[in-house]
Amino acid sequence: VTDKDIPGFYRYAIGDVQVMPISDGAMSFPLPDGLVANASRAEINAALRTAFLPEDKMTIHFTPVVIRTGGKTVLIDTGNGQAAFTGSKGAVGRFGKNLADAGLSPDAIDLVVISHFHGDHVNGLLTAEGAPMFPKAEVIVPEKEWAFWMDDARMSAAPEGRARENFANCRRVFTTGLGDKVRHYTWDEEVAPGLRSVGAPGHTPGHTAFVLSSAAKSLFIQSDVTNNPALFAAHPGWHLMFDMDAAQAEATRRKTYDMLATERMRVQGFHYPFPANGFVEKHADGYRVVPAPWLSEV
Ligand SMILES: [Zn+2]
């Protein structure tokens, strides 16, 4: 550990299951125009100020999760990948180092569960050289996500730019990198012991969240139902530029956050600030995430 590094792993328990958020880092950039389609810069700055965050700046955090359940070590989403470390000057692509700091090697991962096919979730499936990052792991992906992104006709019809590039990236990762050796799962399926897939469409067509249950305790692993909760839990009606079907994403967000607040269920969020978990309460016109307290033993 150098004076630059702050530990990027964490651990807590849900019943008998160990949950380990492992940071892939965070990317900060000047607040772009159009980040939120239906909120002004002044409104976004007011939300940032409310959350004690700097104005005119956006920080996106990336936190894959390792769970140890039923004798298996399961990774949910993978981060931006080793190759992103150099390109981002070390801001992201930190998952591998933080995994090692947590005492795990890539060989220890038995199963990788992917929530959706954006690069910040799938690129970590490959090393910087393009080889499988988790050689002993089975990789499973949402059936609906596969059907959408691996459809060549849809790829040809997609507009140039970010949309088309994501189709190409899916082929780079899954076909070139993994040789299409992935299994498809459906919604409402037990994908690992105690881990159930939940359809959460809108961010992408096959976007999937998860409920982890053990010994009468539950955790909702929300994937990208919201990005940074300071903006999108507080304002569930705001439409992030990365949500492919903004109206459907908003409906998913409202339904999910209403459930989390009513059930008082703990939530883990891929784009929450590290360690990326807490509890949801209703607040003003939206919701507020209350970070879960640190515990020395789990
Ligand atoms: Zn994401």
Side-chain angles (χ1 to χ4, degrees), residues 198-220:
V198 179
H203 181 63
T204 64
H207 178 260
T208 303
F210 307 90
V211 176
L212 174 67
S213 307
S214 171
K217 300 280 189 200
S218 309
L219 172 72
F220 194 84

mmCIF file of all heavy atoms in Angstrom, residues 198-220:
data_model
loop_
_atom_site.group_PDB
_atom_site.id
_atom_site.type_symbol
_atom_site.label_atom_id
_atom_site.label_comp_id
_atom_site.label_asym_id
_atom_site.label_seq_id
_atom_site.Cartn_x
_atom_site.Cartn_y
_atom_site.Cartn_z
ATOM 1 N N VAL A 198 -33.542 -10.735 -11.327
ATOM 2 C CA VAL A 198 -34.772 -9.935 -11.355
ATOM 3 C C VAL A 198 -34.720 -9.049 -12.605
ATOM 4 O O VAL A 198 -33.769 -8.286 -12.779
ATOM 5 C CB VAL A 198 -34.847 -9.030 -10.102
ATOM 6 C CG1 VAL A 198 -36.106 -8.165 -10.138
ATOM 7 C CG2 VAL A 198 -34.796 -9.850 -8.819
ATOM 8 N N GLY A 199 -35.705 -9.137 -13.449
ATOM 9 C CA GLY A 199 -35.767 -8.276 -14.629
ATOM 10 C C GLY A 199 -35.845 -6.820 -14.212
ATOM 11 O O GLY A 199 -36.679 -6.455 -13.383
ATOM 12 N N ALA A 200 -34.971 -5.973 -14.762
ATOM 13 C CA ALA A 200 -34.959 -4.538 -14.427
ATOM 14 C C ALA A 200 -34.671 -3.750 -15.703
ATOM 15 O O ALA A 200 -33.697 -2.996 -15.798
ATOM 16 C CB ALA A 200 -33.903 -4.269 -13.356
ATOM 17 N N PRO A 201 -35.514 -3.901 -16.735
ATOM 18 C CA PRO A 201 -35.210 -3.343 -18.054
ATOM 19 C C PRO A 201 -35.343 -1.824 -18.101
ATOM 20 O O PRO A 201 -36.000 -1.219 -17.262
ATOM 21 C CB PRO A 201 -36.251 -4.016 -18.953
ATOM 22 C CG PRO A 201 -37.408 -4.296 -18.050
ATOM 23 C CD PRO A 201 -36.802 -4.611 -16.704
ATOM 24 N N GLY A 202 -34.728 -1.237 -19.116
ATOM 25 C CA GLY A 202 -34.791 0.208 -19.337
ATOM 26 C C GLY A 202 -33.399 0.763 -19.561
ATOM 27 O O GLY A 202 -33.122 1.362 -20.590
ATOM 28 N N HIS A 203 -32.513 0.538 -18.596
ATOM 29 C CA HIS A 203 -31.115 0.960 -18.788
ATOM 30 C C HIS A 203 -30.579 0.312 -20.071
ATOM 31 O O HIS A 203 -29.961 0.972 -20.902
ATOM 32 C CB HIS A 203 -30.300 0.572 -17.560
ATOM 33 C CG HIS A 203 -28.867 0.987 -17.643
ATOM 34 N ND1 HIS A 203 -28.468 2.296 -17.713
ATOM 35 C CD2 HIS A 203 -27.719 0.251 -17.706
ATOM 36 C CE1 HIS A 203 -27.144 2.353 -17.808
ATOM 37 N NE2 HIS A 203 -26.670 1.124 -17.805
ATOM 38 N N THR A 204 -30.800 -1.004 -20.187
ATOM 39 C CA THR A 204 -30.644 -1.735 -21.452
ATOM 40 C C THR A 204 -31.840 -2.693 -21.531
ATOM 41 O O THR A 204 -32.519 -2.914 -20.518
ATOM 42 C CB THR A 204 -29.327 -2.552 -21.497
ATOM 43 O OG1 THR A 204 -29.379 -3.550 -20.472
ATOM 44 C CG2 THR A 204 -28.093 -1.683 -21.326
ATOM 45 N N PRO A 205 -32.074 -3.300 -22.706
ATOM 46 C CA PRO A 205 -33.266 -4.165 -22.826
ATOM 47 C C PRO A 205 -33.246 -5.376 -21.893
ATOM 48 O O PRO A 205 -34.299 -5.819 -21.440
ATOM 49 C CB PRO A 205 -33.236 -4.608 -24.293
ATOM 50 C CG PRO A 205 -32.452 -3.549 -25.001
ATOM 51 C CD PRO A 205 -31.418 -3.076 -24.010
ATOM 52 N N GLY A 206 -32.051 -5.909 -21.630
ATOM 53 C CA GLY A 206 -31.985 -7.104 -20.783
ATOM 54 C C GLY A 206 -31.382 -6.836 -19.418
ATOM 55 O O GLY A 206 -30.919 -7.764 -18.746
ATOM 56 N N HIS A 207 -31.377 -5.578 -19.015
ATOM 57 C CA HIS A 207 -30.722 -5.201 -17.755
ATOM 58 C C HIS A 207 -31.335 -5.966 -16.572
ATOM 59 O O HIS A 207 -32.550 -6.011 -16.418
ATOM 60 C CB HIS A 207 -30.851 -3.691 -17.528
ATOM 61 C CG HIS A 207 -30.245 -3.234 -16.250
ATOM 62 N ND1 HIS A 207 -30.989 -2.983 -15.119
ATOM 63 C CD2 HIS A 207 -28.960 -3.019 -15.899
ATOM 64 C CE1 HIS A 207 -30.179 -2.618 -14.142
ATOM 65 N NE2 HIS A 207 -28.949 -2.616 -14.589
ATOM 66 N N THR A 208 -30.466 -6.526 -15.743
ATOM 67 C CA THR A 208 -30.894 -7.453 -14.692
ATOM 68 C C THR A 208 -30.341 -7.033 -13.336
ATOM 69 O O THR A 208 -29.175 -6.642 -13.231
ATOM 70 C CB THR A 208 -30.393 -8.875 -15.035
ATOM 71 O OG1 THR A 208 -30.899 -9.238 -16.332
ATOM 72 C CG2 THR A 208 -30.852 -9.894 -14.008
ATOM 73 N N ALA A 209 -31.204 -7.112 -12.313
ATOM 74 C CA ALA A 209 -30.785 -6.930 -10.921
ATOM 75 C C ALA A 209 -30.869 -8.307 -10.246
ATOM 76 O O ALA A 209 -31.228 -9.300 -10.891
ATOM 77 C CB ALA A 209 -31.679 -5.912 -10.228
ATOM 78 N N PHE A 210 -30.550 -8.363 -8.957
ATOM 79 C CA PHE A 210 -30.514 -9.650 -8.258
ATOM 80 C C PHE A 210 -30.989 -9.474 -6.825
ATOM 81 O O PHE A 210 -30.764 -8.428 -6.223
ATOM 82 C CB PHE A 210 -29.082 -10.212 -8.244
ATOM 83 C CG PHE A 210 -28.461 -10.292 -9.605
ATOM 84 C CD1 PHE A 210 -27.737 -9.214 -10.105
ATOM 85 C CD2 PHE A 210 -28.649 -11.390 -10.413
ATOM 86 C CE1 PHE A 210 -27.188 -9.240 -11.390
ATOM 87 C CE2 PHE A 210 -28.115 -11.435 -11.698
ATOM 88 C CZ PHE A 210 -27.387 -10.361 -12.181
ATOM 89 N N VAL A 211 -31.614 -10.519 -6.296
ATOM 90 C CA VAL A 211 -31.881 -10.575 -4.864
ATOM 91 C C VAL A 211 -31.073 -11.732 -4.291
ATOM 92 O O VAL A 211 -31.156 -12.859 -4.783
ATOM 93 C CB VAL A 211 -33.378 -10.791 -4.555
ATOM 94 C CG1 VAL A 211 -33.588 -10.939 -3.047
ATOM 95 C CG2 VAL A 211 -34.199 -9.624 -5.072
ATOM 96 N N LEU A 212 -30.266 -11.404 -3.282
ATOM 97 C CA LEU A 212 -29.505 -12.426 -2.562
ATOM 98 C C LEU A 212 -30.227 -12.703 -1.249
ATOM 99 O O LEU A 212 -30.511 -11.763 -0.493
ATOM 100 C CB LEU A 212 -28.087 -11.907 -2.288
ATOM 101 C CG LEU A 212 -27.196 -12.796 -1.424
ATOM 102 C CD1 LEU A 212 -26.864 -14.096 -2.143
ATOM 103 C CD2 LEU A 212 -25.909 -12.053 -1.050
ATOM 104 N N SER A 213 -30.533 -13.951 -0.977
ATOM 105 C CA SER A 213 -31.246 -14.314 0.255
ATOM 106 C C SER A 213 -30.490 -15.401 0.989
ATOM 107 O O SER A 213 -30.039 -16.370 0.367
ATOM 108 C CB SER A 213 -32.654 -14.839 -0.056
ATOM 109 O OG SER A 213 -33.343 -13.914 -0.860
ATOM 110 N N SER A 214 -30.381 -15.217 2.316
ATOM 111 C CA SER A 214 -29.755 -16.244 3.148
ATOM 112 C C SER A 214 -30.217 -16.058 4.582
ATOM 113 O O SER A 214 -30.154 -14.943 5.120
ATOM 114 C CB SER A 214 -28.232 -16.126 3.073
ATOM 115 O OG SER A 214 -27.628 -16.983 4.030
ATOM 116 N N ALA A 215 -30.670 -17.133 5.202
ATOM 117 C CA ALA A 215 -31.037 -17.130 6.627
ATOM 118 C C ALA A 215 -31.930 -15.936 6.975
ATOM 119 O O ALA A 215 -31.644 -15.169 7.883
ATOM 120 C CB ALA A 215 -29.776 -17.148 7.493
ATOM 121 N N ALA A 216 -32.993 -15.755 6.210
ATOM 122 C CA ALA A 216 -34.012 -14.721 6.449
ATOM 123 C C ALA A 216 -33.512 -13.287 6.239
ATOM 124 O O ALA A 216 -34.206 -12.331 6.550
ATOM 125 C CB ALA A 216 -34.624 -14.860 7.845
ATOM 126 N N LYS A 217 -32.295 -13.137 5.685
ATOM 127 C CA LYS A 217 -31.792 -11.804 5.326
ATOM 128 C C LYS A 217 -31.765 -11.690 3.797
ATOM 129 O O LYS A 217 -31.590 -12.698 3.111
ATOM 130 C CB LYS A 217 -30.360 -11.607 5.851
ATOM 131 C CG LYS A 217 -30.229 -11.721 7.350
ATOM 132 C CD LYS A 217 -30.658 -10.454 8.029
ATOM 133 C CE LYS A 217 -30.330 -10.498 9.506
ATOM 134 N NZ LYS A 217 -31.101 -9.553 10.296
ATOM 135 N N SER A 218 -31.928 -10.437 3.327
ATOM 136 C CA SER A 218 -31.896 -10.237 1.881
ATOM 137 C C SER A 218 -31.079 -9.007 1.521
ATOM 138 O O SER A 218 -30.994 -8.047 2.291
ATOM 139 C CB SER A 218 -33.295 -10.022 1.315
ATOM 140 O OG SER A 218 -34.155 -11.017 1.740
ATOM 141 N N LEU A 219 -30.547 -9.053 0.334
ATOM 142 C CA LEU A 219 -29.819 -7.924 -0.249
ATOM 143 C C LEU A 219 -30.299 -7.767 -1.687
ATOM 144 O O LEU A 219 -30.382 -8.749 -2.423
ATOM 145 C CB LEU A 219 -28.314 -8.206 -0.241
ATOM 146 C CG LEU A 219 -27.437 -7.188 -0.988
ATOM 147 C CD1 LEU A 219 -27.368 -5.866 -0.217
ATOM 148 C CD2 LEU A 219 -26.024 -7.758 -1.200
ATOM 149 N N PHE A 220 -30.602 -6.531 -2.092
ATOM 150 C CA PHE A 220 -30.938 -6.257 -3.487
ATOM 151 C C PHE A 220 -29.691 -5.724 -4.177
ATOM 152 O O PHE A 220 -29.140 -4.699 -3.761
ATOM 153 C CB PHE A 220 -32.085 -5.241 -3.562
ATOM 154 C CG PHE A 220 -32.712 -5.158 -4.923
ATOM 155 C CD1 PHE A 220 -33.709 -6.050 -5.302
ATOM 156 C CD2 PHE A 220 -32.307 -4.203 -5.831
ATOM 157 C CE1 PHE A 220 -34.292 -5.990 -6.562
ATOM 158 C CE2 PHE A 220 -32.887 -4.128 -7.100
ATOM 159 C CZ PHE A 220 -33.880 -5.026 -7.465
#
